[in-house]
Amino acid sequence: GTEECKTELGVHNFVDQFMEIPILIQIIIMQESMWIWVGSLPAKSGRLDVTTCFKQNSNIDKFNSTSLLGNQLDTFAPSLTQRIAKRFGGVVFVSYNLSGPSSSKELENYVEKRLLKEIKSLYPSPSK
């Protein structure tokens, strides 16, 4: 027999602002995965992290993370990728491109809260 191949794809773009800093965000929801791009103008993709979530021994979640592109000293982007994967499951790609003088812990916290709020509205049934 043949199996039906289902494809789900949703692209969501939004703009936010933290203090005077414009934040551009794109979330692409795919079947069992999502791609998140966060940046400002001019748009670039200088960093990419990925985390996969899978079940081991039927009930234990395991995570595998790696940085594919960008500064390996930055700890926020890989941590953000892991937290999103733990919360929603599947494979999560994050390209986080806010850096320089505008980057701060407050900005990072704001972006993470805003992303989680948006993802929850798009992906209301997390796998966890």
Side-chain angles (χ1 to χ4, degrees):
T2 61
E3 293 183 35
E4 183 179 330
C5 179
K6 294 182 180 180
T7 304
E8 298 175 23
L9 179 68
V11 179
H12 307 276
N13 299 304
F14 60 98
V15 178
D16 205 335
Q17 188 164 336
F18 177 78
M19 295 185 190
E20 74 286 349
I21 304 162
I23 302 167
L24 309 173
I25 299 176
Q26 180 177 65
I27 301 172
I28 302 174
I29 303 286
M30 299 167 278
Q31 188 171 344
E32 298 182 24
S33 66
M34 70 178 78
W35 171 280
I36 300 165
W37 180 88
V38 179
S40 197
L41 293 174
K44 64 178 182 171
S45 186
R47 172 150 197 105
L48 181 60
D49 297 278
V50 62
T51 296
T52 58
C53 173
F54 56 93
K55 297 277 186 198
Q56 185 175 19
N57 299 331
S58 72
N59 288 331
I60 301 170
D61 285 344
K62 291 289 185 182
F63 300 92
N64 186 15
S65 299
T66 191
S67 294
L68 301 174
L69 297 171
N71 182 351
Q72 303 297 316
L73 299 176
D74 176 22
T75 59
F76 174 68
S79 297
L80 175 65
T81 307
Q82 290 173 12
R83 288 190 294 274
I84 293 171
K86 285 178 184 176
R87 187 168 213 156
F88 297 97
V91 179
V92 176
F93 296 89
V94 173
S95 180
Y96 186 83
N97 301 287
L98 295 174
S99 61
S102 63
S103 184
S104 68
K105 288 292 179 198
E106 294 83 16
L107 173 61
E108 291 172 352
N109 290 336
Y110 180 83
V111 167
E112 182 170 353
K113 286 178 186 173
R114 184 66 175 93
L115 267 174
L116 290 175
K117 178 181 174 185
E118 196 70 24
I119 293 168
K120 278 184 192 178
S121 73
L122 301 172
Y123 212 29
S125 301
S127 62
K128 298 234 355 141

PDB file of all heavy atoms in Angstrom, residues 96-108:
ATOM      1  N   TYR A  96      19.314  33.671  15.048  1.00  0.00           N
ATOM      2  CA  TYR A  96      19.191  34.869  15.900  1.00  0.00           C
ATOM      3  C   TYR A  96      20.262  35.858  15.482  1.00  0.00           C
ATOM      4  O   TYR A  96      21.452  35.575  15.589  1.00  0.00           O
ATOM      5  CB  TYR A  96      19.343  34.483  17.376  1.00  0.00           C
ATOM      6  CG  TYR A  96      19.076  35.637  18.319  1.00  0.00           C
ATOM      7  CD1 TYR A  96      17.779  35.960  18.681  1.00  0.00           C
ATOM      8  CD2 TYR A  96      20.108  36.394  18.836  1.00  0.00           C
ATOM      9  CE1 TYR A  96      17.511  37.008  19.544  1.00  0.00           C
ATOM     10  CE2 TYR A  96      19.858  37.444  19.695  1.00  0.00           C
ATOM     11  CZ  TYR A  96      18.565  37.747  20.045  1.00  0.00           C
ATOM     12  OH  TYR A  96      18.320  38.794  20.891  1.00  0.00           O
ATOM     13  N   ASN A  97      19.827  37.021  14.990  1.00  0.00           N
ATOM     14  CA  ASN A  97      20.745  37.972  14.367  1.00  0.00           C
ATOM     15  C   ASN A  97      20.642  39.370  14.953  1.00  0.00           C
ATOM     16  O   ASN A  97      20.765  40.364  14.245  1.00  0.00           O
ATOM     17  CB  ASN A  97      20.483  38.009  12.864  1.00  0.00           C
ATOM     18  CG  ASN A  97      20.666  36.645  12.251  1.00  0.00           C
ATOM     19  OD1 ASN A  97      21.777  36.175  12.113  1.00  0.00           O
ATOM     20  ND2 ASN A  97      19.573  35.979  11.930  1.00  0.00           N
ATOM     21  N   LEU A  98      20.397  39.476  16.251  1.00  0.00           N
ATOM     22  CA  LEU A  98      20.451  40.762  16.936  1.00  0.00           C
ATOM     23  C   LEU A  98      21.737  40.760  17.747  1.00  0.00           C
ATOM     24  O   LEU A  98      21.932  39.926  18.613  1.00  0.00           O
ATOM     25  CB  LEU A  98      19.247  40.942  17.873  1.00  0.00           C
ATOM     26  CG  LEU A  98      17.885  41.029  17.200  1.00  0.00           C
ATOM     27  CD1 LEU A  98      16.775  41.067  18.246  1.00  0.00           C
ATOM     28  CD2 LEU A  98      17.798  42.248  16.300  1.00  0.00           C
ATOM     29  N   SER A  99      22.630  41.685  17.431  1.00  0.00           N
ATOM     30  CA  SER A  99      23.913  41.712  18.132  1.00  0.00           C
ATOM     31  C   SER A  99      24.429  43.135  18.174  1.00  0.00           C
ATOM     32  O   SER A  99      23.778  44.056  17.705  1.00  0.00           O
ATOM     33  CB  SER A  99      24.922  40.799  17.439  1.00  0.00           C
ATOM     34  OG  SER A  99      25.142  41.243  16.119  1.00  0.00           O
ATOM     35  N   GLY A 100      25.622  43.286  18.720  1.00  0.00           N
ATOM     36  CA  GLY A 100      26.235  44.595  18.793  1.00  0.00           C
ATOM     37  C   GLY A 100      25.711  45.379  19.971  1.00  0.00           C
ATOM     38  O   GLY A 100      25.257  44.814  20.964  1.00  0.00           O
ATOM     39  N   PRO A 101      25.743  46.710  19.880  1.00  0.00           N
ATOM     40  CA  PRO A 101      25.368  47.543  21.025  1.00  0.00           C
ATOM     41  C   PRO A 101      23.907  47.371  21.446  1.00  0.00           C
ATOM     42  O   PRO A 101      23.554  47.629  22.580  1.00  0.00           O
ATOM     43  CB  PRO A 101      25.627  48.975  20.553  1.00  0.00           C
ATOM     44  CG  PRO A 101      25.988  48.898  19.129  1.00  0.00           C
ATOM     45  CD  PRO A 101      26.181  47.469  18.746  1.00  0.00           C
ATOM     46  N   SER A 102      23.051  46.918  20.516  1.00  0.00           N
ATOM     47  CA  SER A 102      21.635  46.767  20.851  1.00  0.00           C
ATOM     48  C   SER A 102      21.349  45.467  21.599  1.00  0.00           C
ATOM     49  O   SER A 102      20.259  45.267  22.094  1.00  0.00           O
ATOM     50  CB  SER A 102      20.789  46.824  19.580  1.00  0.00           C
ATOM     51  OG  SER A 102      21.122  45.748  18.739  1.00  0.00           O
ATOM     52  N   SER A 103      22.341  44.556  21.669  1.00  0.00           N
ATOM     53  CA  SER A 103      22.124  43.271  22.324  1.00  0.00           C
ATOM     54  C   SER A 103      22.330  43.398  23.827  1.00  0.00           C
ATOM     55  O   SER A 103      23.306  43.960  24.281  1.00  0.00           O
ATOM     56  CB  SER A 103      23.084  42.234  21.754  1.00  0.00           C
ATOM     57  OG  SER A 103      22.797  40.977  22.322  1.00  0.00           O
ATOM     58  N   SER A 104      21.383  42.884  24.577  1.00  0.00           N
ATOM     59  CA  SER A 104      21.465  42.928  26.025  1.00  0.00           C
ATOM     60  C   SER A 104      20.616  41.814  26.600  1.00  0.00           C
ATOM     61  O   SER A 104      19.789  41.227  25.908  1.00  0.00           O
ATOM     62  CB  SER A 104      20.966  44.277  26.544  1.00  0.00           C
ATOM     63  OG  SER A 104      19.569  44.394  26.308  1.00  0.00           O
ATOM     64  N   LYS A 105      20.814  41.533  27.867  1.00  0.00           N
ATOM     65  CA  LYS A 105      19.997  40.510  28.530  1.00  0.00           C
ATOM     66  C   LYS A 105      18.530  40.904  28.498  1.00  0.00           C
ATOM     67  O   LYS A 105      17.657  40.056  28.325  1.00  0.00           O
ATOM     68  CB  LYS A 105      20.453  40.293  29.976  1.00  0.00           C
ATOM     69  CG  LYS A 105      21.771  39.584  30.075  1.00  0.00           C
ATOM     70  CD  LYS A 105      21.650  38.155  29.605  1.00  0.00           C
ATOM     71  CE  LYS A 105      22.972  37.443  29.681  1.00  0.00           C
ATOM     72  NZ  LYS A 105      23.009  36.252  28.868  1.00  0.00           N
ATOM     73  N   GLU A 106      18.234  42.190  28.664  1.00  0.00           N
ATOM     74  CA  GLU A 106      16.846  42.647  28.631  1.00  0.00           C
ATOM     75  C   GLU A 106      16.226  42.407  27.263  1.00  0.00           C
ATOM     76  O   GLU A 106      15.088  41.958  27.157  1.00  0.00           O
ATOM     77  CB  GLU A 106      16.731  44.132  29.007  1.00  0.00           C
ATOM     78  CG  GLU A 106      17.094  44.443  30.433  1.00  0.00           C
ATOM     79  CD  GLU A 106      18.596  44.604  30.666  1.00  0.00           C
ATOM     80  OE1 GLU A 106      19.357  44.766  29.679  1.00  0.00           O
ATOM     81  OE2 GLU A 106      19.009  44.547  31.834  1.00  0.00           O
ATOM     82  N   LEU A 107      16.983  42.697  26.213  1.00  0.00           N
ATOM     83  CA  LEU A 107      16.510  42.457  24.854  1.00  0.00           C
ATOM     84  C   LEU A 107      16.304  40.962  24.626  1.00  0.00           C
ATOM     85  O   LEU A 107      15.269  40.547  24.088  1.00  0.00           O
ATOM     86  CB  LEU A 107      17.505  43.005  23.831  1.00  0.00           C
ATOM     87  CG  LEU A 107      17.220  42.687  22.355  1.00  0.00           C
ATOM     88  CD1 LEU A 107      15.879  43.270  21.917  1.00  0.00           C
ATOM     89  CD2 LEU A 107      18.350  43.202  21.478  1.00  0.00           C
ATOM     90  N   GLU A 108      17.247  40.146  25.041  1.00  0.00           N
ATOM     91  CA  GLU A 108      17.127  38.698  24.876  1.00  0.00           C
ATOM     92  C   GLU A 108      15.898  38.163  25.605  1.00  0.00           C
ATOM     93  O   GLU A 108      15.148  37.355  25.064  1.00  0.00           O
ATOM     94  CB  GLU A 108      18.397  38.006  25.372  1.00  0.00           C
ATOM     95  CG  GLU A 108      19.594  38.277  24.484  1.00  0.00           C
ATOM     96  CD  GLU A 108      20.905  37.770  25.056  1.00  0.00           C
ATOM     97  OE1 GLU A 108      20.942  37.333  26.233  1.00  0.00           O
ATOM     98  OE2 GLU A 108      21.910  37.813  24.331  1.00  0.00           O
TER      99      GLU A 108
END
